Amino acid sequence: MSATYIDEPDSPAPPYIPGRSQDKVDNASTPTSSIMDNEDRSQRCYLTKFTLYETKSRYYLVGSNQADSVFRVLKIDRTSPVELTVIVDDTMYTKQEVVDLLMMIEYGNRTGGLSKVASAWGIIGFVRFTEGYYISLITKRSVVALIGGHYVYHIDETELVPIGQASKLEKNSEEARYMNTFRNVDLTRNFYFSYTYDLTHTLQYNMTRPPQTADNCESNYNDMFIWNHYLLENGFKSLKTNSEWILPIVHGFVEQTNCIYAWARIEQMNVNYVDLFISVFGRNVFIALIARRSRHFAGARYLKRGVSDKGYVANDVETEQIIAEMSTTSFHTYDRLFGNPRYTSYVQHRGSIPLNWSQRSQDNLGMAPKPLITLNCVDPFYTASALHFDDMFKRYGTPCIVLNLIKVRIFPSPSCINRIFLLRCPGLSLKTAKGKGQTRINLIGRARRGNQILEPVFAGDAENPAYRLGHVTPGIVIGFLENIAEKSLQETGFFHSGPEPYINVLRREQA
Protein backbone atom coordinates (compact mmCIF):
# COMPACT_ATOMS: atom_id res chain seq x y z
CA MET A 1 0.00 0.00 0.00
CA SER A 2 1.09 3.57 -0.53
CA ALA A 3 1.94 5.99 2.23
CA THR A 4 -1.12 6.91 4.30
CA TYR A 5 -1.63 9.60 6.88
CA ILE A 6 -4.06 10.30 9.69
CA ASP A 7 -7.18 12.18 8.64
CA GLU A 8 -7.60 15.67 10.02
CA PRO A 9 -10.55 18.08 10.26
CA ASP A 10 -11.29 20.25 7.24
CA SER A 11 -10.97 23.45 9.27
CA PRO A 12 -9.20 24.26 12.56
CA ALA A 13 -11.22 24.99 15.67
CA PRO A 14 -11.32 28.72 16.55
CA PRO A 15 -9.81 29.75 19.90
CA TYR A 16 -12.75 32.09 20.57
CA ILE A 17 -16.43 32.11 19.50
CA PRO A 18 -17.92 35.63 19.64
CA GLY A 19 -21.23 36.02 21.42
CA ARG A 20 -20.83 32.85 23.47
CA SER A 21 -19.72 32.59 27.08
CA GLN A 22 -16.18 31.30 27.24
CA ASP A 23 -14.95 28.81 29.77
CA LYS A 24 -11.75 29.62 31.59
CA VAL A 25 -8.79 27.84 30.02
CA ASP A 26 -7.09 25.52 32.46
CA ASN A 27 -3.43 26.35 32.07
CA ALA A 28 -2.43 24.00 34.88
CA SER A 29 -3.51 20.92 32.93
CA THR A 30 -1.38 21.84 29.93
CA PRO A 31 2.20 22.85 30.79
CA THR A 32 2.78 24.24 27.28
CA SER A 33 -0.11 26.67 27.77
CA SER A 34 1.39 28.36 30.81
CA ILE A 35 2.75 31.88 30.76
CA MET A 36 5.99 31.84 28.79
CA ASP A 37 9.15 33.47 29.99
CA ASN A 38 11.21 35.87 27.88
CA GLU A 39 13.43 33.14 26.48
CA ASP A 40 10.47 31.08 25.21
CA ARG A 41 8.80 34.13 23.71
CA SER A 42 11.90 34.96 21.68
CA GLN A 43 11.88 31.58 19.92
CA ARG A 44 10.13 31.20 16.59
CA CYS A 45 6.90 29.24 16.48
CA TYR A 46 5.33 27.71 13.38
CA LEU A 47 1.76 28.86 12.87
CA THR A 48 -0.41 26.10 11.42
CA LYS A 49 -3.98 27.15 12.27
CA PHE A 50 -5.64 30.47 11.61
CA THR A 51 -8.97 32.11 12.42
CA LEU A 52 -10.11 35.38 10.84
CA TYR A 53 -12.28 37.75 12.93
CA GLU A 54 -13.73 41.07 11.80
CA THR A 55 -14.97 44.34 13.20
CA LYS A 56 -16.15 47.33 11.21
CA SER A 57 -12.66 48.84 11.15
CA ARG A 58 -10.28 45.87 11.33
CA TYR A 59 -9.61 42.24 10.61
CA TYR A 60 -7.91 40.18 13.31
CA LEU A 61 -6.16 37.06 12.08
CA VAL A 62 -5.27 34.78 15.00
CA GLY A 63 -2.67 32.10 14.31
CA SER A 64 -1.58 29.27 16.57
CA ASN A 65 0.91 26.44 16.53
CA GLN A 66 -0.07 22.78 16.31
CA ALA A 67 -0.33 22.34 20.09
CA ASP A 68 -2.37 25.54 20.62
CA SER A 69 0.24 26.66 23.13
CA VAL A 70 1.42 29.80 21.28
CA PHE A 71 -0.79 32.36 19.53
CA ARG A 72 0.01 35.35 17.35
CA VAL A 73 -2.24 38.15 16.09
CA LEU A 74 -2.17 39.96 12.73
CA LYS A 75 -4.17 43.18 12.41
CA ILE A 76 -5.45 44.38 9.02
CA ASP A 77 -6.95 47.85 8.61
CA ARG A 78 -10.27 48.04 6.70
CA THR A 79 -10.87 51.80 6.64
CA SER A 80 -8.83 52.64 3.52
CA PRO A 81 -10.13 51.08 0.27
CA VAL A 82 -6.93 51.65 -1.72
CA GLU A 83 -4.16 51.16 0.86
CA LEU A 84 -3.23 47.96 2.63
CA THR A 85 -2.07 48.31 6.22
CA VAL A 86 -0.94 45.10 7.92
CA ILE A 87 0.24 45.30 11.53
CA VAL A 88 2.16 42.34 12.94
CA ASP A 89 1.74 42.02 16.69
CA ASP A 90 5.07 40.75 18.02
CA THR A 91 3.51 39.50 21.26
CA MET A 92 3.30 35.75 21.72
CA TYR A 93 0.08 34.92 23.57
CA THR A 94 -1.10 31.88 25.45
CA LYS A 95 -4.58 30.55 24.73
CA GLN A 96 -6.12 32.30 27.73
CA GLU A 97 -4.41 35.56 26.82
CA VAL A 98 -5.71 35.52 23.26
CA VAL A 99 -9.22 34.69 24.48
CA ASP A 100 -9.08 37.66 26.86
CA LEU A 101 -7.83 39.87 24.02
CA LEU A 102 -10.68 38.88 21.70
CA MET A 103 -13.25 39.35 24.47
CA MET A 104 -11.87 42.84 25.06
CA ILE A 105 -12.09 43.63 21.33
CA GLU A 106 -15.69 42.38 21.24
CA TYR A 107 -16.57 44.47 24.29
CA GLY A 108 -15.00 47.58 22.73
CA ASN A 109 -17.02 47.17 19.50
CA ARG A 110 -20.55 46.96 20.82
CA THR A 111 -22.12 48.58 17.76
CA GLY A 112 -20.68 46.26 15.11
CA GLY A 113 -19.38 43.57 17.40
CA LEU A 114 -16.77 40.92 16.63
CA SER A 115 -17.63 38.07 14.29
CA LYS A 116 -15.79 35.04 12.94
CA VAL A 117 -15.24 35.16 9.17
CA ALA A 118 -13.26 32.06 8.28
CA SER A 119 -10.96 29.34 9.51
CA ALA A 120 -7.84 28.61 7.49
CA TRP A 121 -4.61 26.64 7.36
CA GLY A 122 -2.42 29.39 5.89
CA ILE A 123 -2.14 32.75 4.13
CA ILE A 124 -1.50 32.76 0.39
CA GLY A 125 -1.22 36.53 0.23
CA PHE A 126 -2.93 39.80 -0.63
CA VAL A 127 -4.11 40.98 -4.05
CA ARG A 128 -5.75 44.12 -5.44
CA PHE A 129 -7.39 44.59 -8.85
CA THR A 130 -9.14 47.93 -9.47
CA GLU A 131 -10.77 48.57 -6.09
CA GLY A 132 -9.87 47.26 -2.65
CA TYR A 133 -7.55 44.48 -1.48
CA TYR A 134 -8.40 40.83 -0.88
CA ILE A 135 -6.78 38.25 1.35
CA SER A 136 -6.40 34.73 -0.03
CA LEU A 137 -6.58 31.91 2.53
CA ILE A 138 -6.02 28.15 2.44
CA THR A 139 -9.23 26.62 3.80
CA LYS A 140 -8.58 22.94 3.09
CA ARG A 141 -5.39 20.89 2.84
CA SER A 142 -4.28 17.27 2.58
CA VAL A 143 -1.02 15.55 3.53
CA VAL A 144 0.96 14.16 0.59
CA ALA A 145 4.40 13.44 2.04
CA LEU A 146 6.43 13.16 5.23
CA ILE A 147 10.10 14.11 4.87
CA GLY A 148 12.33 14.01 7.91
CA GLY A 149 9.36 14.40 10.23
CA HIS A 150 8.08 17.42 8.26
CA TYR A 151 4.64 17.20 6.67
CA VAL A 152 4.09 18.43 3.11
CA TYR A 153 0.56 19.50 2.18
CA HIS A 154 -1.44 19.95 -0.99
CA ILE A 155 -3.85 22.90 -1.28
CA ASP A 156 -7.39 21.55 -1.73
CA GLU A 157 -9.54 24.67 -1.26
CA THR A 158 -8.97 28.42 -1.04
CA GLU A 159 -11.09 31.45 -0.20
CA LEU A 160 -10.75 35.05 -1.35
CA VAL A 161 -12.02 37.45 1.33
CA PRO A 162 -12.44 41.20 0.61
CA ILE A 163 -10.65 43.36 3.15
CA GLY A 164 -12.75 46.48 2.65
CA GLN A 165 -16.45 46.77 3.34
CA ALA A 166 -18.35 44.16 1.36
CA SER A 167 -20.17 45.48 -1.70
CA LYS A 168 -21.96 43.78 -4.58
CA LEU A 169 -19.93 43.66 -7.77
CA GLU A 170 -21.51 44.40 -11.10
CA LYS A 171 -21.36 41.47 -13.46
CA ASN A 172 -19.56 43.29 -16.29
CA SER A 173 -17.35 45.51 -14.16
CA GLU A 174 -13.58 45.61 -14.46
CA GLU A 175 -13.26 44.33 -10.90
CA ALA A 176 -15.34 41.25 -11.66
CA ARG A 177 -13.43 40.58 -14.88
CA TYR A 178 -10.03 40.74 -13.16
CA MET A 179 -11.29 38.60 -10.30
CA ASN A 180 -12.47 35.90 -12.71
CA THR A 181 -9.07 36.02 -14.42
CA PHE A 182 -7.34 35.59 -11.06
CA ARG A 183 -9.58 32.66 -10.18
CA ASN A 184 -8.71 30.98 -13.46
CA VAL A 185 -5.40 30.17 -11.83
CA ASP A 186 -6.61 27.10 -9.98
CA LEU A 187 -4.71 27.12 -6.70
CA THR A 188 -6.21 23.73 -5.80
CA ARG A 189 -4.22 21.90 -8.48
CA ASN A 190 -0.54 21.11 -8.01
CA PHE A 191 0.22 23.74 -5.36
CA TYR A 192 2.03 22.60 -2.21
CA PHE A 193 3.40 23.98 1.04
CA SER A 194 5.03 22.96 4.30
CA TYR A 195 5.16 24.81 7.58
CA THR A 196 8.51 23.45 8.76
CA TYR A 197 10.31 22.13 5.65
CA ASP A 198 11.75 24.44 2.99
CA LEU A 199 10.24 23.12 -0.25
CA THR A 200 12.00 25.80 -2.29
CA HIS A 201 15.40 24.13 -1.77
CA THR A 202 16.75 20.65 -2.24
CA LEU A 203 17.28 18.15 0.53
CA GLN A 204 21.04 18.62 0.26
CA TYR A 205 20.74 22.36 0.83
CA ASN A 206 18.35 21.94 3.76
CA MET A 207 20.54 19.37 5.51
CA THR A 208 23.92 21.06 4.94
CA ARG A 209 23.23 24.78 5.34
CA PRO A 210 24.52 26.39 8.55
CA PRO A 211 21.96 26.73 11.34
CA GLN A 212 20.33 30.09 11.95
CA THR A 213 21.65 32.19 14.80
CA ALA A 214 20.54 35.37 16.52
CA ASP A 215 22.85 37.38 14.26
CA ASN A 216 21.69 35.61 11.09
CA CYS A 217 17.97 34.93 11.36
CA GLU A 218 16.91 35.81 7.82
CA SER A 219 15.03 33.21 5.82
CA ASN A 220 16.79 31.61 2.86
CA TYR A 221 13.84 30.79 0.66
CA ASN A 222 14.59 30.48 -3.05
CA ASP A 223 12.14 33.00 -4.47
CA MET A 224 12.43 31.36 -7.90
CA PHE A 225 9.96 28.74 -6.67
CA ILE A 226 7.70 30.92 -4.47
CA TRP A 227 4.60 31.32 -6.62
CA ASN A 228 2.86 33.61 -4.11
CA HIS A 229 5.91 35.91 -4.01
CA TYR A 230 4.09 39.04 -5.22
CA LEU A 231 0.99 38.30 -3.14
CA LEU A 232 3.05 38.13 0.04
CA GLU A 233 5.05 41.26 -0.82
CA ASN A 234 1.81 43.27 -0.82
CA GLY A 235 1.32 42.62 2.90
CA PHE A 236 4.83 42.10 4.24
CA LYS A 237 7.80 44.38 3.71
CA SER A 238 10.28 41.61 3.05
CA LEU A 239 10.16 37.85 2.60
CA LYS A 240 13.60 37.60 4.25
CA THR A 241 12.31 38.43 7.73
CA ASN A 242 11.67 34.79 8.70
CA SER A 243 8.15 35.77 9.76
CA GLU A 244 5.77 33.08 11.01
CA TRP A 245 3.06 34.49 8.74
CA ILE A 246 4.98 33.95 5.50
CA LEU A 247 4.13 30.61 3.90
CA PRO A 248 5.80 29.90 0.52
CA ILE A 249 3.62 28.11 -2.03
CA VAL A 250 5.35 25.82 -4.54
CA HIS A 251 3.87 24.83 -7.90
CA GLY A 252 4.70 21.43 -9.32
CA PHE A 253 4.25 17.90 -8.09
CA VAL A 254 4.86 16.12 -4.77
CA GLU A 255 4.18 12.45 -4.07
CA GLN A 256 5.58 9.85 -1.71
CA THR A 257 5.12 6.10 -1.77
CA ASN A 258 6.66 2.95 -0.35
CA CYS A 259 5.49 0.64 -3.11
CA ILE A 260 5.03 0.44 -6.86
CA TYR A 261 1.91 -0.75 -8.61
CA ALA A 262 2.60 -3.59 -11.04
CA TRP A 263 -0.24 -4.43 -13.40
CA ALA A 264 -0.83 -8.17 -13.70
CA ARG A 265 -3.40 -10.67 -14.90
CA ILE A 266 -4.01 -13.23 -12.21
CA GLU A 267 -7.15 -15.10 -13.19
CA GLN A 268 -7.32 -17.18 -10.03
CA MET A 269 -7.29 -14.06 -7.79
CA ASN A 270 -9.26 -11.88 -10.23
CA VAL A 271 -7.13 -8.79 -9.68
CA ASN A 272 -5.76 -6.26 -12.12
CA TYR A 273 -2.71 -5.11 -10.19
CA VAL A 274 -0.50 -6.06 -7.30
CA ASP A 275 1.54 -3.96 -4.89
CA LEU A 276 5.27 -4.52 -4.94
CA PHE A 277 6.91 -3.08 -1.85
CA ILE A 278 10.33 -1.58 -2.43
CA SER A 279 12.70 -3.47 -0.16
CA VAL A 280 16.46 -3.19 0.29
CA PHE A 281 17.90 -6.05 2.38
CA GLY A 282 14.51 -6.54 3.98
CA ARG A 283 13.95 -2.88 4.84
CA ASN A 284 11.12 -0.97 3.21
CA VAL A 285 12.14 2.33 1.65
CA PHE A 286 10.05 5.35 0.74
CA ILE A 287 10.46 7.27 -2.50
CA ALA A 288 9.43 10.93 -2.63
CA LEU A 289 9.31 12.85 -5.89
CA ILE A 290 9.31 16.66 -5.72
CA ALA A 291 9.03 18.77 -8.88
CA ARG A 292 9.43 22.52 -8.43
CA ARG A 293 8.38 24.77 -11.28
CA SER A 294 10.05 28.15 -11.57
CA ARG A 295 7.85 31.23 -11.57
CA HIS A 296 10.23 33.00 -13.94
CA PHE A 297 9.36 32.87 -17.65
CA ALA A 298 6.57 30.33 -17.11
CA GLY A 299 3.64 29.94 -19.47
CA ALA A 300 1.65 27.68 -21.73
CA ARG A 301 3.31 25.51 -24.34
CA TYR A 302 4.04 27.23 -27.67
CA LEU A 303 3.54 30.62 -25.97
CA LYS A 304 6.70 30.41 -23.86
CA ARG A 305 9.84 29.10 -25.52
CA GLY A 306 13.56 29.64 -25.29
CA VAL A 307 15.32 31.82 -22.76
CA SER A 308 14.69 35.30 -21.36
CA ASP A 309 17.19 38.14 -21.34
CA LYS A 310 18.00 37.32 -17.70
CA GLY A 311 18.88 33.70 -18.46
CA TYR A 312 15.63 32.08 -17.28
CA VAL A 313 14.45 29.30 -19.60
CA ALA A 314 10.77 28.70 -20.29
CA ASN A 315 9.01 26.26 -17.97
CA ASP A 316 12.01 25.56 -15.77
CA VAL A 317 11.35 22.51 -13.57
CA GLU A 318 13.66 21.13 -10.88
CA THR A 319 12.90 17.48 -10.09
CA GLU A 320 14.23 15.84 -6.95
CA GLN A 321 14.03 12.17 -6.01
CA ILE A 322 14.39 11.47 -2.29
CA ILE A 323 14.83 7.89 -1.08
CA ALA A 324 14.64 7.20 2.63
CA GLU A 325 14.62 4.18 4.91
CA MET A 326 12.01 5.24 7.41
CA SER A 327 12.98 3.30 10.51
CA THR A 328 13.48 6.77 12.00
CA THR A 329 11.79 9.71 10.34
CA SER A 330 13.77 12.59 11.85
CA PHE A 331 16.73 14.15 10.07
CA HIS A 332 18.61 14.20 13.37
CA THR A 333 20.24 11.59 15.57
CA TYR A 334 20.70 11.66 19.31
CA ASP A 335 24.21 13.11 19.02
CA ARG A 336 24.21 15.08 15.76
CA LEU A 337 22.00 17.52 13.89
CA PHE A 338 21.07 16.22 10.44
CA GLY A 339 23.05 13.09 11.23
CA ASN A 340 20.50 10.53 9.99
CA PRO A 341 22.33 8.54 7.28
CA ARG A 342 19.15 7.08 5.78
CA TYR A 343 18.36 9.81 3.22
CA THR A 344 19.60 10.12 -0.35
CA SER A 345 18.67 12.64 -3.00
CA TYR A 346 19.26 13.15 -6.70
CA VAL A 347 18.27 16.31 -8.59
CA GLN A 348 17.56 16.79 -12.29
CA HIS A 349 16.59 19.91 -14.19
CA ARG A 350 14.57 20.39 -17.35
CA GLY A 351 13.87 23.48 -19.35
CA SER A 352 13.41 24.91 -22.79
CA ILE A 353 16.36 25.17 -25.20
CA PRO A 354 18.39 28.16 -23.89
CA LEU A 355 18.29 30.14 -27.14
CA ASN A 356 16.20 33.11 -28.27
CA TRP A 357 13.48 31.32 -30.21
CA SER A 358 9.70 31.17 -30.34
CA GLN A 359 6.94 28.98 -31.74
CA ARG A 360 3.79 31.03 -32.22
CA SER A 361 1.12 30.64 -34.86
CA GLN A 362 0.91 33.33 -37.54
CA ASP A 363 -2.25 34.71 -39.07
CA ASN A 364 -1.44 33.28 -42.48
CA LEU A 365 -1.01 29.77 -41.11
CA GLY A 366 -4.57 29.44 -39.85
CA MET A 367 -5.10 26.47 -37.53
CA ALA A 368 -1.65 24.92 -37.87
CA PRO A 369 -1.29 22.17 -35.23
CA LYS A 370 2.41 22.92 -34.72
CA PRO A 371 3.50 26.51 -35.39
CA LEU A 372 6.75 27.21 -37.15
CA ILE A 373 9.91 27.73 -35.14
CA THR A 374 11.62 31.09 -35.52
CA LEU A 375 14.80 32.58 -34.12
CA ASN A 376 13.88 35.95 -32.66
CA CYS A 377 17.32 37.50 -32.57
CA VAL A 378 20.92 36.52 -33.21
CA ASP A 379 23.32 37.29 -30.39
CA PRO A 380 26.92 36.50 -31.42
CA PHE A 381 27.91 36.30 -27.75
CA TYR A 382 24.89 34.20 -26.66
CA THR A 383 24.64 36.24 -23.46
CA ALA A 384 21.30 34.82 -22.30
CA SER A 385 22.52 31.25 -22.80
CA ALA A 386 25.69 31.97 -20.83
CA LEU A 387 23.63 33.50 -18.01
CA HIS A 388 21.49 30.38 -17.92
CA PHE A 389 24.46 28.03 -17.54
CA ASP A 390 26.06 30.35 -14.99
CA ASP A 391 22.87 29.97 -12.96
CA MET A 392 23.09 26.18 -13.36
CA PHE A 393 26.64 26.19 -11.97
CA LYS A 394 25.59 28.41 -9.09
CA ARG A 395 22.67 26.17 -8.17
CA TYR A 396 24.14 22.72 -8.74
CA GLY A 397 27.90 23.03 -9.11
CA THR A 398 29.90 21.25 -11.78
CA PRO A 399 29.95 19.41 -14.09
CA CYS A 400 26.72 20.28 -15.92
CA ILE A 401 25.56 17.38 -18.09
CA VAL A 402 23.09 18.34 -20.83
CA LEU A 403 20.93 15.69 -22.52
CA ASN A 404 19.82 16.97 -25.92
CA LEU A 405 16.30 15.77 -26.71
CA ILE A 406 15.71 17.92 -29.80
CA LYS A 407 13.79 15.98 -32.46
CA VAL A 408 15.30 16.66 -35.88
CA ARG A 409 13.00 14.49 -38.02
CA ILE A 410 9.64 16.12 -37.34
CA PHE A 411 7.77 19.06 -38.82
CA PRO A 412 8.23 21.87 -38.12
CA SER A 413 11.87 20.88 -37.92
CA PRO A 414 13.89 22.37 -35.03
CA SER A 415 17.11 21.35 -36.79
CA CYS A 416 18.25 25.00 -37.01
CA ILE A 417 18.02 25.30 -33.22
CA ASN A 418 19.72 21.94 -32.80
CA ARG A 419 22.60 22.99 -35.06
CA ILE A 420 23.17 26.29 -33.22
CA PHE A 421 22.84 24.65 -29.82
CA LEU A 422 25.40 21.95 -30.62
CA LEU A 423 27.84 24.44 -32.12
CA ARG A 424 27.60 26.93 -29.27
CA CYS A 425 27.65 24.59 -26.24
CA PRO A 426 31.44 24.00 -26.46
CA GLY A 427 31.92 27.78 -26.73
CA LEU A 428 29.64 28.35 -23.75
CA SER A 429 31.63 25.79 -21.81
CA LEU A 430 34.85 27.70 -22.41
CA LYS A 431 33.20 31.05 -21.74
CA THR A 432 31.61 30.06 -18.44
CA ALA A 433 34.65 28.04 -17.37
CA LYS A 434 36.99 30.99 -17.57
CA GLY A 435 38.35 31.63 -14.10
CA LYS A 436 36.17 28.94 -12.51
CA GLY A 437 38.48 25.95 -12.35
CA GLN A 438 36.80 22.75 -13.55
CA THR A 439 33.52 24.29 -14.65
CA ARG A 440 32.40 22.56 -17.83
CA ILE A 441 29.38 21.41 -19.84
CA ASN A 442 29.06 17.84 -21.07
CA LEU A 443 26.57 17.74 -23.94
CA ILE A 444 24.87 14.50 -24.89
CA GLY A 445 23.32 15.15 -28.27
CA ARG A 446 23.85 14.35 -31.93
CA ALA A 447 26.64 11.95 -32.84
CA ARG A 448 29.64 13.23 -34.80
CA ARG A 449 33.13 12.06 -35.57
CA GLY A 450 36.00 13.55 -33.66
CA ASN A 451 34.08 14.27 -30.45
CA GLN A 452 32.16 12.43 -27.74
CA ILE A 453 28.69 13.78 -28.51
CA LEU A 454 26.06 11.04 -28.82
CA GLU A 455 22.56 10.89 -30.24
CA PRO A 456 19.76 8.92 -28.56
CA VAL A 457 18.16 6.15 -30.67
CA PHE A 458 14.36 6.15 -30.60
CA ALA A 459 12.09 3.27 -31.52
CA GLY A 460 10.24 3.86 -34.78
CA ASP A 461 13.04 5.92 -36.31
CA ALA A 462 13.99 4.94 -39.87
CA GLU A 463 17.64 4.81 -38.79
CA ASN A 464 16.92 2.68 -35.75
CA PRO A 465 18.54 -0.78 -36.09
CA ALA A 466 15.49 -2.36 -34.48
CA TYR A 467 13.27 -0.59 -36.99
CA ARG A 468 15.31 -1.83 -39.94
CA LEU A 469 14.91 -5.38 -38.66
CA GLY A 470 11.16 -5.00 -39.07
CA HIS A 471 10.15 -4.66 -35.44
CA VAL A 472 10.18 -1.95 -32.81
CA THR A 473 12.00 -2.70 -29.58
CA PRO A 474 11.28 -0.06 -26.94
CA GLY A 475 13.82 -1.73 -24.68
CA ILE A 476 16.66 -0.43 -26.81
CA VAL A 477 15.62 3.10 -25.90
CA ILE A 478 15.44 2.30 -22.20
CA GLY A 479 18.79 0.56 -22.34
CA PHE A 480 20.40 3.52 -24.04
CA LEU A 481 18.97 5.95 -21.51
CA GLU A 482 20.05 3.67 -18.66
CA ASN A 483 23.63 3.85 -19.91
CA ILE A 484 23.40 7.65 -20.02
CA ALA A 485 21.93 7.72 -16.52
CA GLU A 486 24.65 5.44 -15.14
CA LYS A 487 27.48 7.50 -16.66
CA SER A 488 25.89 10.75 -15.51
CA LEU A 489 25.45 9.44 -11.99
CA GLN A 490 29.10 8.40 -11.84
CA GLU A 491 30.09 11.85 -13.07
CA THR A 492 27.92 13.94 -10.74
CA GLY A 493 27.32 11.67 -7.76
CA PHE A 494 24.30 11.98 -5.46
CA PHE A 495 23.64 13.36 -1.99
CA HIS A 496 23.83 11.01 0.99
CA SER A 497 22.97 12.39 4.41
CA GLY A 498 24.86 11.81 7.60
CA PRO A 499 28.57 11.05 8.00
CA GLU A 500 30.53 10.09 4.91
CA PRO A 501 30.48 6.31 4.31
CA TYR A 502 33.82 4.63 4.93
CA ILE A 503 33.62 2.99 1.49
CA ASN A 504 34.26 6.41 -0.07
CA VAL A 505 37.52 6.69 1.85
CA LEU A 506 38.60 3.25 0.61
CA ARG A 507 37.76 4.15 -2.97
CA ARG A 508 39.83 7.33 -2.79
CA GLU A 509 42.78 5.37 -1.44
CA GLN A 510 42.49 2.83 -4.24
CA ALA A 511 42.18 5.48 -6.96
Side-chain angles (χ1 to χ4, degrees):
M1 60 181 294
S2 60
T4 56
Y5 306 95
I6 300 175
D7 294 336
E8 59 183 4
D10 292 341
S11 59
Y16 176 77
I17 302 177
R20 184 181 299 180
S21 59
Q22 307 292 321
D23 296 331
K24 190 74 172 178
V25 178
D26 186 9
N27 289 329
S29 61
T30 309
T32 55
S33 300
S34 60
I35 300 297
M36 296 169 289
D37 56 22
N38 294 332
E39 183 179 356
D40 293 333
R41 290 178 184 268
S42 63
Q43 297 178 356
R44 183 190 180 191
C45 67
Y46 293 97
L47 304 180
T48 61
K49 296 178 284 186
F50 303 85
T51 305
L52 184 64
Y53 300 92
E54 71 169 344
T55 63
K56 293 186 65 175
S57 60
R58 276 186 177 180
Y59 273 128
Y60 294 90
L61 187 63
V62 179
S64 65
N65 61 354
Q66 186 66 31
D68 286 338
S69 59
V70 179
F71 289 79
R72 299 290 300 271
V73 178
L74 190 73
K75 306 172 186 178
I76 306 172
D77 184 68
R78 304 183 64 194
T79 57
S80 177
V82 295
E83 293 184 2
L84 178 64
T85 304
V86 178
I87 304 173
V88 178
D89 190 347
D90 294 331
T91 306
M92 301 180 71
Y93 299 92
T94 63
K95 188 170 185 177
Q96 184 59 54
E97 289 174 343
V98 80
V99 168
D100 294 340
L101 175 65
L102 294 174
M103 290 180 63
M104 184 169 52
I105 294 174
E106 183 180 21
Y107 181 80
N109 292 269
R110 292 185 177 181
T111 55
L114 178 73
S115 59
K116 175 179 171 290
V117 178
S119 296
W121 298 106
I123 305 174
I124 297 178
F126 303 87
V127 62
R128 178 174 180 257
F129 306 115
T130 60
E131 298 180 5
Y133 278 90
Y134 299 82
I135 180 173
S136 182
L137 301 173
I138 302 171
T139 55
K140 191 175 181 180
R141 67 183 185 182
S142 58
V143 180
V144 293
L146 177 64
I147 302 175
H150 305 273
Y151 283 102
V152 180
Y153 300 90
H154 177 266
I155 298 178
D156 294 333
E157 288 184 9
T158 62
E159 184 176 353
L160 198 63
V161 180
I163 292 179
Q165 301 299 327
S167 60
K168 186 176 180 180
L169 294 178
E170 297 182 3
K171 184 177 181 180
N172 298 325
S173 64
E174 289 289 317
E175 183 76 7
R177 184 169 66 88
Y178 284 121
M179 183 179 294
N180 291 333
T181 303
F182 178 79
R183 285 175 173 169
N184 285 337
V185 181
D186 192 356
L187 295 176
T188 63
R189 295 184 60 185
N190 303 324
F191 283 91
Y192 303 87
F193 68 94
S194 177
Y195 301 108
T196 56
Y197 183 75
D198 186 1
L199 279 177
T200 65
H201 282 111
T202 62
L203 178 72
Q204 179 177 356
Y205 181 90
N206 290 331
M207 295 191 71
T208 58
R209 64 181 177 184
Q212 293 182 345
T213 60
D215 298 331
N216 182 22
C217 59
E218 291 187 352
S219 63
N220 295 314
Y221 295 127
N222 187 353
D223 63 356
M224 172 183 286
F225 301 113
I226 304 179
W227 277 70
N228 57 337
H229 181 270
Y230 292 116
L231 302 183
L232 290 173
E233 279 189 336
N234 290 331
F236 304 98
K237 295 180 179 180
S238 174
L239 302 187
K240 299 289 186 180
T241 58
N242 206 19
S243 172
E244 298 90 343
W245 302 99
I246 295 176
L247 185 65
I249 305 300
V250 174
H251 183 219
F253 177 81
V254 179
E255 186 171 341
Q256 186 180 47
T257 183
N258 64 334
C259 67
I260 57 176
Y261 301 103
W263 293 92
R265 290 286 184 181
I266 306 177
E267 297 180 357
Q268 295 82 355
M269 300 178 63
N270 193 23
V271 297
N272 292 327
Y273 68 91
V274 294
D275 294 343
L276 298 180
F277 288 89
I278 304 173
S279 176
V280 178
F281 296 108
R283 298 185 179 184
N284 292 335
V285 297
F286 283 73
I287 295 180
L289 189 66
I290 302 176
R292 309 172 183 89
R293 188 181 181 191
S294 172
R295 65 182 179 90
H296 299 303
F297 210 53
R301 189 181 183 187
Y302 297 126
L303 297 181
K304 286 289 185 180
R305 295 290 203 186
V307 64
S308 68
D309 295 337
K310 296 182 179 180
Y312 298 117
V313 294
N315 297 315
D316 182 325
V317 179
E318 179 185 271
T319 303
E320 180 179 17
Q321 176 183 281
I322 300 175
I323 300 179
E325 193 268 300
M326 301 285 279
S327 58
T328 55
T329 58
S330 175
F331 285 144
H332 316 296
T333 57
Y334 70 94
D335 60 344
R336 181 174 178 177
L337 289 176
F338 300 105
N340 190 342
R342 297 180 176 87
Y343 284 88
T344 62
S345 170
Y346 191 75
V347 177
Q348 300 179 70
H349 171 272
R350 66 87 50 203
S352 185
I353 306 168
L355 297 173
N356 291 305
W357 65 287
S358 62
Q359 193 176 12
R360 296 187 180 183
S361 60
Q362 304 294 332
D363 295 337
N364 57 351
L365 294 179
M367 298 297 292
K370 290 186 178 180
L372 293 177
I373 296 173
T374 58
L375 291 172
N376 299 331
C377 63
V378 179
D379 181 7
F381 301 103
Y382 293 88
T383 306
S385 303
L387 289 174
H388 169 68
F389 283 108
D390 280 341
D391 181 61
M392 292 292 101
F393 296 139
K394 181 180 179 181
R395 288 162 61 181
Y396 307 115
T398 60
C400 181
I401 299 176
V402 180
L403 177 61
N404 183 12
L405 296 179
I406 300 176
K407 299 178 181 179
V408 296
R409 297 179 181 87
I410 62 173
F411 179 84
S413 176
S415 58
C416 59
I417 300 177
N418 183 63
R419 183 167 56 252
I420 295 174
F421 185 59
L422 292 175
L423 289 176
R424 290 307 305 170
C425 253
L428 288 173
S429 178
L430 295 176
K431 182 177 179 180
T432 54
K434 187 176 181 181
K436 295 184 180 180
Q438 298 182 354
T439 299
R440 63 188 187 277
I441 303 172
N442 294 343
L443 175 64
I444 303 175
R446 184 165 182 156
R448 293 183 180 183
R449 291 185 178 181
N451 55 32
Q452 298 179 354
I453 298 177
L454 306 174
E455 180 180 13
V457 180
F458 293 96
D461 195 330
E463 298 183 3
N464 191 332
Y467 184 85
R468 289 199 301 268
L469 292 176
H471 64 277
V472 177
T473 308
I476 194 173
V477 182
I478 301 300
F480 188 87
L481 292 177
E482 284 179 351
N483 292 334
I484 294 177
E486 183 178 359
K487 293 178 181 178
S488 301
L489 193 61
Q490 293 175 355
E491 185 78 11
T492 62
F494 61 91
F495 172 70
H496 182 203
S497 65
E500 183 182 13
Y502 183 65
I503 187 65
N504 291 356
V505 180
L506 297 179
R507 287 173 180 173
R508 283 198 299 266
E509 292 178 353
Q510 295 175 0

